[in-house]
Amino acid sequence: MRIFVAGGTGYIGSHTVLELLAGGHDVVVADDFSNSSPVVVNRLRQISGKFFPFYNIDVRDEAKLDGVFSDHKIDCVIHFAGMKSVGESVKMPLAYYADNLGATIALCRAMEKHGVSKLVFSSSATVYSSGNQMPLTEDSAVGNCANPYGWTKYMCEQILRDAAAANSGWSVALLRYFNPVGAHISGDIGEDPLGTPSNLMPYIAQTAVGRRESLNVYGDDYDTIDGTGVRDYIHIDDLAKGHVAAINHLEGKTGTSVFNLGTGKGTSVYELVRAFEKASGASVPQKVVGRREGDLPICYADASKAARELGWIAEKSIEDACADSWRWQKKNPDGYLDTIASTQVRNSLASSSCSSNSAFSGT
Ligand code: UD1
């Protein structure tokens, strides 16, 4: 299949591109590098040993998107393009609604125009309401989201359900991710958040490598195994494979389906820190600070529907994720921040036939 990957140079998008290429699919990738680096394009081509078309565009630009869909016969879209910082979404809600909903609508319009009927959407466990019992199943209550970022995922799910209902041949998979961690085994691509990380794993990795003084533990007085928050951490390679499984599942189906992509296991902050220290041999100084507003004590998936219907289960462990994150962090202590290389790649992409100068981000 030829798959259009919108937001394909972000953390989840880039790992998924590698899995798609490894699975024998052709990919056409677009991103605007608003939250990713142009260096990723070359690294993906190097790791995979395959050339693929890349477009430096904002997918909300319908004229440019139309050009991509005219250049290539697309069979399926994977939609990662969007803004994803919870804190930022509280400060700039309108930018989040405009960007995340706008990208989804533009992609659906391009699909309608060019007769593309399959789409996989990058959703999040954040769409679930806070009062649910654990583990979360796909039937747990949704809505009542804690922040605008969560609402954009919730609203995009609804837009896609409605678009699939109105276009009789469409088949859409909504993938609700739990907490993605880890990096590709090569150590050449990984998570590179802009500024100070707000998520736990990149903060631990940057503390271990000496970029941060100590980890703030957001509360040790929860009713959990050791008092710290418990989450369902899923290795990024497993998550990427979940997308390949979802694409296969869409074949011959119509309508919308929803899948949790998680491990079904909870891990506490202290357990993750200990696993990271063991995998890296580095120490991660910590200090306990107050609880972070909006945090749940425990959140983990019931991932049995994906096992049953997609034939997919998460195979890698927390230990694998820590070892892989450490390899990436050590090889790239400042992430993709290599200004000379970035500028050269950006310039060469801007002048190549498959790109234009515009902007958008990837998950
Ligand atoms: C967060 C977002 C969620 C988003 C997800 C993406 C919030 C409230 N939720 O989820 O909407 O989909 O990231 O991956 O921001 N922790 C620390 N110290 C830190 C960072 C985190 O102790 O510096 C703790 C948290 O309290 C939590 C756990 O580590 O118990 C995981 O936190 P995080 O990585 O931010 O993920 P979520 O809060 O689950």
Side-chain angles (χ1 to χ4, degrees):
M1 250 191 265
R2 180 168 298 110
I3 295 146
F4 178 61
V5 186
T9 59
Y11 176 43
I12 306 175
S14 57
H15 289 80
T16 302
V17 165
L18 288 181
E19 284 300 331
L20 291 167
L21 291 170
H25 294 289
D26 292 330
V27 297
V28 176
V29 178
D31 210 303
D32 74 345
F33 307 127
S34 56
N35 191 21
S36 63
S37 167
V39 170
V40 174
V41 179
N42 281 355
R43 293 207 181 164
L44 292 176
R45 287 175 179 159
Q46 276 158 11
I47 296 168
S48 66
K50 292 182 180 163
F51 182 85
F52 54 84
F54 175 79
Y55 290 82
N56 180 358
I57 60 164
D58 179 339
V59 296
R60 290 171 301 162
D61 184 329
E62 294 194 19
K64 288 186 178 146
L65 199 54
D66 190 47
V68 180
F69 278 66
S70 300
D71 286 352
H72 307 275
K73 169 87 192 75
I74 303 293
D75 301 303
C76 177
V77 172
I78 307 187
H79 173 19
F80 294 107
M83 297 165 82
K84 62 168 189 177
S85 159
V86 169
E88 193 180 59
S89 79
V90 175
K91 292 191 192 112
M92 319 162 38
L94 300 182
Y96 270 68
Y97 287 114
D99 284 11
N100 291 3
L101 274 61
T104 301
I105 293 166
L107 284 165
C108 287
R109 286 207 174 119
M111 287 171 63
E112 279 183 344
K113 184 165 175 199
H114 293 271
V116 180
S117 60
K118 297 187 188 70
L119 180 137
V120 174
F121 178 59
S122 173
S123 191
S124 165
T126 194
V127 301
Y128 290 114
S129 306
S130 56
N132 282 306
Q133 296 259 320
M134 295 297 148
L136 293 165
T137 74
E138 289 80 356
D139 295 325
S140 297
V142 293
N144 204 8
C145 301
N147 48 66
Y149 162 72
W151 279 116
T152 66
K153 292 291 177 191
Y154 174 90
M155 290 177 188
C156 286
E157 285 197 359
Q158 189 58 42
I159 290 168
L160 292 168
R161 282 179 205 282
D162 290 343
N167 290 276
S168 57
W170 276 28
S171 183
V172 170
L174 309 174
L175 304 184
R176 293 181 180 155
Y177 311 149
F178 282 70
N179 293 59
V181 289
H184 188 259
I185 190 93
S186 64
D188 289 331
I189 58 166
E191 185 170 17
D192 182 24
L194 278 182
T196 309
S198 51
N199 293 123
L200 181 60
M201 184 64 120
Y203 207 106
I204 291 176
Q206 291 189 9
T207 307
V209 87
R211 265 174 82 181
R212 313 272 160 207
E213 210 170 285
S214 68
L215 169 73
N216 291 324
V217 176
Y218 294 142
D220 66 351
D221 56 352
Y222 287 111
D223 186 13
T224 60
I225 180 173
D226 55 22
T228 64
V230 167
R231 295 292 183 275
D232 186 337
Y233 297 98
I234 173 169
H235 195 293
I236 190 72
D237 287 345
D238 282 328
L239 192 64
K241 288 189 173 113
H243 293 75
V244 181
I247 284 169
N248 295 336
H249 166 84
L250 293 182
E251 201 61 51
K253 302 254 182 351
T254 57
T256 306
S257 44
V258 187
F259 296 99
N260 284 340
L261 295 186
T263 65
K265 287 190 223 76
T267 302
S268 75
V269 173
Y270 284 153
E271 285 172 331
L272 192 64
V273 170
R274 273 201 302 275
F276 198 95
E277 289 185 323
K278 196 164 168 214
S280 64
S283 80
V284 180
Q286 307 138 49
K287 59 174 186 281
V288 178
V289 297
R291 293 181 179 190
R292 182 172 65 179
E293 204 187 323
D295 270 356
L296 291 173
I298 303 183
C299 178
Y300 64 100
D302 176 332
S304 59
K305 186 179 176 200
R308 256 188 339 268
E309 296 187 24
L310 302 181
W312 170 92
I313 53 163
E315 285 168 349
K316 295 199 171 181
S317 64
I318 292 297
E319 287 72 24
D320 296 328
C322 290
D324 294 340
S325 281
W326 180 236
R327 188 177 307 105
W328 151 254
Q329 193 67 60
K330 259 190 323 186
K331 257 180 132 170
N332 305 271
D334 296 315
Y336 294 114
L337 189 69
D338 172 351
T339 43
I340 296 169
S342 285
T343 308
Q344 281 169 351
V345 175
R346 199 183 291 272
N347 290 343
S348 76
L349 287 170
S351 60
S352 76
S353 60
C354 286
S355 32
S356 56
N357 294 314
S358 187
F360 211 80
S361 66
T363 302

